[in-house]
Amino acid sequence: MRKIAAFFFVFSVFAWSGPVAADTYKIDPAHASIQWRVQHLGVSTMVGRFNPFSGIFTYDSAEAKQTPTVEIEIEMASLDSNHALRDKHLRADFFETAKYPTATFKSNSYSGNDEHGTLTGLLTMHGVTREVSVEVRKTGEGKDPWGTYRAGFEGTARFDRRDFGIDRNVGPSSWLVDLEVIFEGIRQ
């Protein structure tokens, strides 16, 4: 009787477990960056970054049918354009970081292959949520010298900041923002 009960227990675990999930990776903040570029007054390009951000992603190169996912949270007050007075102005007057301290991205679909594709998801920034597409490319994966496994990716996106209620005018070509996200994660 115990053998029959054990068989049904093992069978039920496998029957209800569903498809095997992809591996989960935690973004390594020491090997990650989010950089942005925007035109200033139609004369130059202003470049900056958000310093601390965190996130997780799922990925499995061996599972072709698996859909990778990404979740990222950005501390908006970490905005850094290499100019303290401009940073203070951007935090207060553009991003209103006291009212909106974080921005988040959560993917909901992916089209492409193991090496590159388009990750689409919801970006919430300045209290507004919009769908954004990110062109992604795998930069590598493998075991590191400390015995953990890592995977790295780069992504680029372009959006109109007015879509997020950030509508202060600094020239007609300043509405579009280019983002570049670079990160590697450690498999958990």
Side-chain angles (χ1 to χ4, degrees):
M1 185 69 161
R2 286 185 186 176
K3 287 182 182 179
I4 293 172
F7 169 77
F8 280 112
F9 173 74
V10 171
F11 176 78
S12 66
V13 168
F14 283 108
W16 289 100
S17 64
V20 176
D23 294 325
T24 298
Y25 291 76
K26 183 177 179 184
I27 293 174
D28 178 1
H31 299 97
S33 67
I34 296 178
Q35 301 168 8
W36 51 266
R37 298 170 62 89
V38 65
Q39 289 292 311
H40 183 253
L41 301 175
V43 219
S44 66
T45 302
M46 188 169 49
V47 179
R49 59 183 283 147
F50 293 102
N51 290 316
F53 72 96
S54 60
I56 59 169
F57 63 94
T58 61
Y59 168 75
D60 186 349
S61 61
E63 179 58 54
K65 294 181 181 178
Q66 164 278 180
T67 301
T69 61
V70 176
E71 293 183 28
I72 294 175
E73 181 173 282
I74 304 164
E75 294 178 30
M76 297 303 287
S78 74
L79 178 138
D80 180 358
S81 70
N82 198 33
H83 188 272
L85 288 176
R86 178 176 48 226
D87 293 348
K88 184 178 177 182
H89 169 56
L90 290 171
R91 289 177 192 134
D93 300 326
F94 282 75
F95 292 103
E96 300 179 84
T97 58
K99 187 175 181 181
Y100 307 107
T102 61
T104 60
F105 176 81
K106 185 173 182 177
S107 67
N108 54 28
S109 68
Y110 177 78
S111 62
N113 58 39
D114 180 45
E115 297 298 319
H116 57 83
T118 303
L119 188 69
T120 303
L122 297 176
L123 174 62
T124 300
M125 179 173 58
H126 199 246
V128 178
T129 301
R130 296 271 191 250
E131 189 170 82
V132 172
S133 293
V134 182
E135 297 303 311
V136 295
R137 179 179 71 85
K138 182 172 81 171
T139 55
E141 67 177 301
K143 243 185 176 176
D144 64 22
W146 306 278
T148 58
Y149 195 86
R150 294 174 180 258
F153 296 88
E154 294 180 353
T156 58
R158 173 176 270 189
F159 59 87
D160 190 319
R161 62 186 173 83
R162 292 174 290 190
D163 292 343
F164 294 90
I166 304 170
D167 55 5
R168 289 188 59 130
N169 190 353
V170 287
S173 58
S174 71
W175 301 119
L176 296 179
V177 177
D178 290 309
L179 281 182
E180 181 180 33
V181 182
I182 301 169
F183 60 80
E184 65 184 57
I186 302 169
R187 187 165 59 193
Q188 302 298 292

